[in-house]
Structure formats: C-alpha cells, structure tokens
Amino acid sequence: MFFVDTVDVPGLGNRGYLAGGTAHAVVIDPPRDVDRVLTAAALRGVRISHVLETHVHNDHVSGGRELARITGAVYVVPAAAPVAYDRLPVSDGDRLDIDEGLALRAMATPGHTPHHTSYVLEEAGRAAAVFTGGSLLIGTVGRPDLVEPRLTERLARAQHASAHRLAAELPADTAVLPTHGFGSFCASGPSSPDAGPTTIGEQAAVNAALVKDADTFVAELLSGLDDIPAYYTHMGPLNTVGPAPVDLTPPPVADSEEIAARLAAGEWVVDLRGRVAFAEGHVAGSFNIEAGGQLAAYLAWLIPWGKPVTLLAESPGQLAEAQRELVRVGIDRPAAAATGGPEDWVRAGERPETYRRAAFADLPGLTGLTGLPEADGTGGTDGTVRVLDVRRDSERSSAGHIPGSLHIPLHRLRSRMGEIPTGTTVWVHCAGGMRAAIAASMLAAVGHDVVAIDDSFANAPIPNRC
C-alpha cells in the first residue's frame, strides 16, 4: 500500500506532495518552508529518499534543494532544466525505486516550461497516481507564457499534446495530483481553489485541453492570458542558482519612532491586520495587505523588488505566519516588525488615521449613477465622486463594470497614481473587498480621500445585468 499526503500552500494556490510506502517516501515540488514536510514525514515514520521537481518554478522559491540537503535525499530535476547545482537529472522514461513495490516513472510533459516533467507513481507496475506539476491541472493547464514570449504559442501547443499523452497512456482511474491550479496565477484558466481529488478519466471529460482540438484550445488559451505577476521575474533565477536556507527567526522590533523613520525614508510599512481594523485606525502612510489569503502574492507583486519592508501585526503568531508566507516568494527577512495595534505604532501626540468603508448600496447617485463622471480615461474633474475599479482586465471584461468608473488594475496602481483625480472622493472596489482595501490604503497613504467598498461585485449597480 502507498500513501500520498498533500502539503498545501493556499496563499500561492500550490500543493506539494509526500508520497511513499512503509519505510521510504518521496517529495514532489516542496514549498520553501520545508519544516512542514519534515513533520509530515516524521508522522508517517518514513525516510525521504528523493526530492523531485516537476520544473524550475516561476511562481515561488522551491524548498527542494534545502530539503535534500537536510535529509540526505537524492535531488531529482529534469535533465533539460537549466540549473547551476548538482542534481540527479531525469529524462522521459527514467524510473526511480521508492519502496517495496513502489516506483516513480518520469514522463516528459512540456508546455508549462520546455523541460516540464510529470512523475507517475506506480504500484506493482501499474499507474496509481501522476504528479502533474504545471502540466495537466484540474479543469485547465498551466500557463505557457512564463518562460519566453517567443515560445508561448509553441508551449501552448505542447501543453495540449502533453495533456493528451497523459490521457492516452495512463489508466482512467489514475489520480491526477497537480502542483498549481488552486488559485495559482500559474494556471491558464479557472480552477477551483477547493478542487477535490480527480482522475485522468474525469479530466478527459471536462479539461479544456482534452475536450477541444489543438487550434481551438491554443487560440482560447492565448486570448485569455492575464498579466504575469511582477515577482515571477525573480523566481526562476532564484531556483536556477539554488535559494539560500530559510531564516524564520523574528525580525528586529521597531518602535513608533523607527516606524516613522522608515516611512519617511520611503520604505514600505505593511499592516497585516484585517481590512476592517485597518480602516478604523492605522499608521499614516502604511499599506494594508491582510495576513493569510494572498499576502505573499500581492505584496511580492506590488512592492519594488528588494525594497525594505516593515511588518505590523496584531500578534506574534500573525507575524510568524506572514514571515513563513513571504519566504516562499523570496522576501526573506523583513527589515523590522512590530506587534500590537495602531496606538502602539504611532508616535506620542499623533493619532491613527482612518478612512470609510461602505457597500455598493451606499454609493452616491446609485439610481442612474447620476453625478459620476464619464469614463474618458482622464480621471474626470466634473464630479465629487469617482469610482475606481482595481480588478484585472479579464474580470472587468467578463463580469461588467460600473458606468463611469475608472479602471486601473491593482498591480498597475503604483505606476498610475497620477491618473487618480484630486479633489474628489475615490470609492474603490474589486470583486470582494480585499484588493479594494489594498488600493484604498495605497491611495490614503498619498493623501486621497477614499472609501473602500467592502462588498461583492454581484451587488454592484450595473445596468441590464442578467
């Protein structure tokens, strides 16, 4: 009998896996904080014999090399992957014996990257599960545009072919265990964050790559690709040279004077508390990115790479979890941190700043949207209220928009601040409230009067909504 344990990384929409038998196990695509994997192996009472990567990751820093060093396991990387360290290179058809009756077979599945490799877990010679990394995901495939723009269409076609190879060569009841696709920006199409177990046979009936011909699939995939998170530029190179060991010890403690000094120096101070608490009181100039959720992805996407960041948390536990999330995307050491609340973080004689929160029903001029300037791309100066939509392009085009609203996706806001009109109240919305809170905090930090719409876009006033 074999087992497969999942190591979830929900903030990045990823999963790693520990799989093995009674004495030995392998790890596929481990997160950077490898202590979680070591704990899982200890609970199973198995020794980790191999650590495998399906590809050189572009969305997170891998813990594979460090895990192999700690455990003495063999580090397995596709032979064609351009890495700068020693590893066991594997090619299509190579087999690794894992435990009695258990083996892994490498299966070339290019598309997400040119060297991408899936691993088939075989029990007594029969395929039981396949670790598909960024190849075949649940309902979709990994995006093909993260390596080189000139390769994108070629890799999209390779994704289609790889998906069909998996479906053709593996039994229908083979479990499909992808790394990406549970909210990951590496997925090329929607995949439920709560997606449960699936099989090759089930995917053959529903996966876009398996139910559409190659030309249709490629055309739709390429037309639906959204912006690539900025921090992805740094992940591949880090994984190519081999990341340093993780340091999760607490950062230096910052008092109110140091927090103010870091803000004055242009550094980022990020408040990890919930958006309701932040709106009710925060340090002037700080940004709000809620702990949990997608903290790592959005902070890494928004912050200029390498800029010092100070974290403000409501508790040591919240701070420690945030550090753990951030090392996964290469933000290794906060410059400083503080815990408590805004009354602890502002200097003597100063008061925390606030801004308003609201629902779509509170938006002035809701009936007919009177008083909202028309969307002319200039920002508008003829109204006292401006609605700012910070959703991504694909969301706005698919779900509609409020007439007259200005559209600047959150990840472009920092570079397009000059388009936000002054002398108006800016009502900021996204699809659910979290990104609106980030944007509202960024606008408030530079002096805008803001209202964060903390509401589902399903409640937005859109004429002729079906």
Side-chain angles (χ1 to χ4, degrees):
M1 290 294 293
F2 69 91
F3 70 87
V4 176
D5 290 341
T6 301
V7 183
D8 273 310
V9 190
L12 298 178
N14 287 338
R15 290 176 179 174
Y17 298 95
L18 174 75
T22 57
H24 300 92
V26 299
V27 180
I28 299 92
D29 291 342
R32 195 177 183 195
D33 46 329
V34 299
D35 56 323
R36 301 171 64 211
V37 181
L38 294 171
T39 298
L43 291 172
R44 285 285 185 179
V46 293
R47 183 178 74 82
I48 296 173
S49 61
H50 297 77
V51 178
L52 303 97
E53 305 283 8
T54 56
H55 60 293
V56 174
H57 302 282
N58 287 289
D59 67 319
H60 69 279
V61 182
S62 171
R65 190 179 182 212
E66 178 66 3
L67 181 60
R69 184 191 67 80
I70 291 172
T71 61
V74 177
Y75 193 28
V76 180
V77 180
V83 296
Y85 43 78
D86 291 335
R87 85 287 192 201
L88 175 65
V90 292
S91 300
D92 187 57
D94 287 349
R95 295 172 63 87
L96 301 170
D97 291 326
I98 305 305
D99 204 275
E100 185 176 355
L102 285 181
L104 279 181
R105 174 167 55 89
M107 191 172 185
T109 48
H112 189 47
T113 67
H115 61 267
H116 190 283
T117 300
S118 298
Y119 299 101
V120 181
L121 180 65
E122 297 179 338
E123 184 179 35
R126 187 182 188 279
V130 57
F131 301 97
T132 55
S135 182
L136 186 68
L137 310 185
I138 300 179
T140 185
V141 295
R143 60 192 298 170
D145 59 332
L146 303 181
V147 178
E148 160 62 53
R150 291 173 296 180
L151 296 177
T152 297
E153 182 173 353
R154 187 189 313 171
L155 289 175
R157 292 189 178 278
Q159 278 289 52
H160 187 268
S162 291
H164 280 262
R165 182 188 180 193
L166 288 164
E169 296 186 14
L170 298 178
D173 61 353
T174 304
V176 175
L177 302 171
T179 297
H180 303 314
F182 310 95
S184 168
F185 292 119
C186 271
S188 63
S191 179
S192 170
D194 300 318
T198 189
T199 64
I200 288 289
E202 290 169 353
Q203 288 304 300
V206 300
N207 194 290
L210 295 173
V211 298
K212 298 177 180 178
D213 66 83
D215 289 340
T216 301
F217 168 77
V218 170
E220 292 180 358
L221 185 155
L222 296 181
S223 67
L225 293 173
D226 219 325
D227 288 351
I228 299 170
Y231 69 94
Y232 277 26
T233 302
H234 306 282
M235 300 296 97
L238 280 172
N239 288 321
T240 296
V241 300
V246 168
D247 179 4
L248 291 176
T249 59
V253 176
D255 61 16
S256 59
E257 292 293 339
E258 182 176 349
I259 292 170
R262 290 188 176 277
L263 283 167
E267 296 182 12
W268 276 38
V269 174
V270 176
D271 191 326
L272 304 171
R273 296 174 302 142
R275 55 186 181 262
V276 175
F278 183 87
E280 292 175 347
H282 57 268
V283 178
S286 62
F287 302 143
N288 178 219
I289 307 179
E290 294 178 325
Q294 292 183 293
L295 164 68
Y298 278 106
L299 178 53
W301 196 342
L302 296 173
I303 193 171
W305 192 256
K307 181 177 281 291
V309 59
T310 294
L311 301 179
L312 307 179
E314 61 187 9
S315 68
Q318 186 181 69
L319 174 61
E321 185 57 32
Q323 284 185 256
R324 181 178 290 274
E325 290 187 46
L326 293 178
V327 299
R328 297 169 183 160
V329 292
I331 301 177
D332 284 8
R333 291 295 295 166
T339 58
E343 64 280 357
D344 304 309
W345 304 331
V346 297
R347 292 177 294 188
E350 296 179 346
R351 295 174 60 86
E353 295 288 322
T354 65
Y355 58 69
R356 289 173 289 166
R357 294 171 51 255
F360 280 108
D362 302 316
L363 186 63
L366 177 61
T367 303
L369 299 176
T370 57
L372 294 182
E374 288 301 313
D376 56 8
T378 65
T381 58
D382 58 344
T384 59
V385 168
R386 174 54 112 176
V387 177
L388 173 64
D389 178 355
V390 297
R391 294 173 300 159
R392 294 191 297 278
D393 292 340
S394 58
E395 295 174 276
R396 186 172 169 97
S397 61
S398 64
H401 66 276
I402 297 174
S405 60
L406 176 65
H407 179 226
I408 304 178
L410 174 61
H411 60 274
R412 300 178 196 153
L413 182 59
R414 184 169 56 85
S415 63
R416 295 177 59 183
M417 280 288 190
E419 299 177 36
I420 309 298
T422 58
T424 66
T425 299
V426 183
W427 289 60
V428 191
H429 82 83
C430 60
M434 185 271 288
R435 287 172 292 170
I438 299 173
S441 72
M442 295 171 70
L443 292 169
V446 294
H448 284 282
D449 180 32
V450 298
V451 178
I453 300 179
D454 194 359
D455 196 1
S456 168
F457 189 69
N459 299 322
I462 301 179
N464 304 316
R465 187 197 291 272
C466 296

